[in-house]
Amino acid sequence: MLEVNGGNPLTGTVRVRGAKNLVPKAMVASLLAETPSTLRGVPCISDVDIVTGLLELHGVSVTQHPDGDRPDGELRMDPTRVEQGAIADIDAHAGSSRIPILFCGPLLHRLGRAFIPDLGGCRIGDRPIDFHLDVLRSFGAQIEKTAGGISLTAPTRLTGTKVELPFPSVGATEQVLLTAVRAQGLTELKNAAVEPEILDLVAILQKMGAIISVDTDRVIRIEGVDSLNGYTHRALPDRIEAASWASAALATGGDIFVEGADQPSMLTFLNTFRKAGGQFTVKENGIRFTHPGGRLQSLALETAVHPGFMTDWQQPFVVALTQATGLSILHETVYENRLGFTNALVKMGAQIQLYRECLGGTPCRFGQRNFRHSAVISGPTPLKSANIDVPDLRGGFSHVIAALAAEGRSEVSGIEIINRGYEDFIAKLDGLGAQVSLT
């Protein structure tokens, strides 16, 4: 339980390290190599702990090293003794994480077999694994469903294939990349995700010896190779965490310098931040985000795959929009159930109405499926303290922001899930002058 005494601006400096949406996948990629890999800028988040444990269960030696004289995470992963982990151990260690499905391609290449436990994840929308399994079948994997999960085998070397995604899914694109790089022949992936984290994963695989081309029309082609070497790489900064702190500055009337924030990967967010009335200054080592005083401006916002406005930016930013003058319109097109977090904001005094229709943008795939995926936010509305249960990772951090913006004392429960993607977030809040305490 986190007690929050809100109503005070957040001011100061926070530092972001490697992207949560890249680092665990880069760690999985180390399984593909014949030699050790070194990954720098690794944040201390629970997703990293989960993947570390899963790698160690499969015989990978994972060690931490200081990065020079700076407190920057560095992991060295040695896969020279890869082995099949015990099913019970994999299931117990994975918990609700969906990362194990990305182990399949590398393990099929290294061992000829893999196992996936029953998978969980955040309650923000449908994340079926059927497409992942279909992709693995197309490479030649044999799949058997069991009571405790799914067993996969590859009696012969996996072979290249052609895949066309119905939607530019990040997870499916990662699955194809991690499987295709050592498959025999050419793999062609159409309608691929091209997020910065995907391109950083491509850069890692290329360092390892992979042959990958990324075309401008979302087509990725991978020429399989017989073997890969380890890599040395610094993960790109976490643009989601950076935007979350920016939204916190806007919602609380604060001034936050986000050390490590990267302008090129945040162009769309920065434009929207400025349109809403926020100010930012790009410096050599990060970005300063400020609320300049006066009124914030309402706007129409639609989430989309890269280079659009990222769905993970949406939830923290909505908290700031509750303080904007007029009607803001939000259309969520990536996850159908991502607006459930607004119930807590309404409880705190926000005026938010949800709709099934596609508002403020072009019709999307959820428009005819009875999902409340659009919202109208009326503001500005003072937020009041409340007791809140965290629903998911980004929604949970958004609830903390709302509690910080609200007058009075709030209690936020279930904050453990926030540790999946935000490193030392309570310590960072303390450093920004927030009045928070664990109970």
Side-chain angles (χ1 to χ4, degrees), residues 353-373:
Q353 294 179 309
L354 303 184
Y355 296 88
R356 295 180 176 88
E357 294 78 15
C358 299
L359 300 181
T362 55
C364 76
R365 57 198 175 121
F366 305 137
Q368 305 301 318
R369 296 175 59 192
N370 208 32
F371 295 115
R372 294 184 182 273
H373 69 296

Side-chain angles (χ1 to χ4, degrees), residues 369-433:
R369 296 175 59 192
N370 208 32
F371 295 115
R372 294 184 182 273
H373 69 296
S374 294
V376 174
I377 305 151
S378 304
T381 53
L383 298 180
K384 58 186 180 183
S385 59
N387 296 334
I388 310 166
D389 292 322
V390 168
D392 59 74
L393 173 58
R394 307 303 172 188
F397 195 83
S398 303
H399 289 165
V400 172
I401 294 174
L404 291 164
E407 293 289 342
R409 176 179 170 277
S410 298
E411 293 183 349
V412 185
S413 59
I415 63 167
E416 297 79 12
I417 195 172
I418 299 176
N419 293 320
R420 284 188 53 214
Y422 294 90
E423 179 183 42
D424 297 332
F425 81 98
I426 294 177
K428 290 179 180 179
L429 288 173
D430 285 335
L432 295 172

Side-chain angles (χ1 to χ4, degrees), residues 80-409:
T80 53
R81 296 184 179 181
V82 170
E83 60 186 22
Q84 180 63 49
I87 291 176
D89 292 338
I90 296 171
D91 195 9
H93 193 86
S96 62
S97 171
R98 303 182 67 84
I99 288 291
I101 195 167
L102 295 179
F103 275 69
C104 293
L107 286 176
L108 288 172
H109 286 303
R110 292 297 303 272
L111 302 175
R113 62 190 185 278
F115 173 77
I116 311 171
D118 292 329
L119 300 176
C122 290
R123 302 189 299 272
I124 58 175
D126 192 21
R127 294 184 176 186
I129 67 168
D130 289 349
F131 193 82
H132 286 263
L133 299 179
D134 289 341
V135 166
L136 291 165
R137 284 192 187 95
S138 72
F139 279 102
Q142 296 182 5
I143 299 172
E144 179 183 0
K145 294 185 178 182
T146 66
I150 300 170
S151 294
L152 300 92
T153 56
T156 59
R157 183 180 176 184
L158 300 180
T159 57
T161 186
K162 291 187 176 182
V163 179
E164 182 167 3
L165 301 180
F167 180 79
S169 163
V170 169
T173 300
E174 292 164 343
Q175 183 70 260
V176 172
L177 287 170
L178 292 169
T179 306
V181 286
R182 286 190 58 177
Q184 185 175 6
L186 177 68
T187 296
E188 181 181 84
L189 174 61
K190 294 184 177 180
N191 203 25
V194 290
E195 272 67 9
E197 295 81 7
I198 290 289
L199 298 183
D200 211 32
L201 179 60
V202 168
I204 288 170
L205 294 170
Q206 187 181 59
K207 286 182 177 182
M208 297 172 72
I211 302 172
I212 306 172
S213 64
V214 182
D215 295 341
T216 57
D217 56 354
R218 292 187 177 274
V219 176
I220 297 179
R221 294 180 176 85
I222 307 104
E223 298 178 39
V225 297
D226 293 335
S227 63
L228 294 170
N229 295 314
Y231 63 82
T232 298
H233 188 80
R234 178 173 296 280
L236 86 168
D238 196 315
R239 60 192 177 121
I240 304 173
E241 184 182 359
S244 297
W245 293 116
S247 298
L250 204 58
T252 66
D255 182 341
I256 300 176
F257 177 65
V258 183
E259 183 183 348
D262 173 59
Q263 181 189 13
S265 66
M266 297 183 68
L267 287 176
T268 302
F269 176 85
L270 294 174
N271 287 334
T272 304
F273 188 86
R274 180 170 282 164
K275 288 178 182 179
Q279 292 182 353
F280 63 88
T281 304
V282 179
K283 300 185 177 183
E284 184 175 347
N285 62 333
I287 304 175
R288 179 185 176 190
F289 297 94
T290 59
H291 187 309
R295 294 181 175 182
L296 298 180
Q297 303 299 315
S298 58
L299 46 76
L301 181 63
E302 182 173 78
T303 66
V305 297
H306 187 76
F309 192 91
M310 191 179 191
T311 181
D312 288 324
W313 292 334
Q314 172 258 114
Q315 290 165 293
F317 198 73
V318 163
V319 181
L321 290 180
T322 67
Q323 305 306 302
T325 300
L327 296 179
S328 293
I329 298 172
L330 169 67
H331 182 206
E332 168 63 48
T333 73
V334 179
Y335 291 124
E336 64 270 31
N337 290 323
R338 193 146 220 180
L339 299 186
F341 81 102
T342 60
N343 293 334
L345 302 184
V346 171
K347 181 180 178 181
M348 300 178 75
Q351 296 183 18
I352 303 174
Q353 294 179 309
L354 303 184
Y355 296 88
R356 295 180 176 88
E357 294 78 15
C358 299
L359 300 181
T362 55
C364 76
R365 57 198 175 121
F366 305 137
Q368 305 301 318
R369 296 175 59 192
N370 208 32
F371 295 115
R372 294 184 182 273
H373 69 296
S374 294
V376 174
I377 305 151
S378 304
T381 53
L383 298 180
K384 58 186 180 183
S385 59
N387 296 334
I388 310 166
D389 292 322
V390 168
D392 59 74
L393 173 58
R394 307 303 172 188
F397 195 83
S398 303
H399 289 165
V400 172
I401 294 174
L404 291 164
E407 293 289 342
R409 176 179 170 277

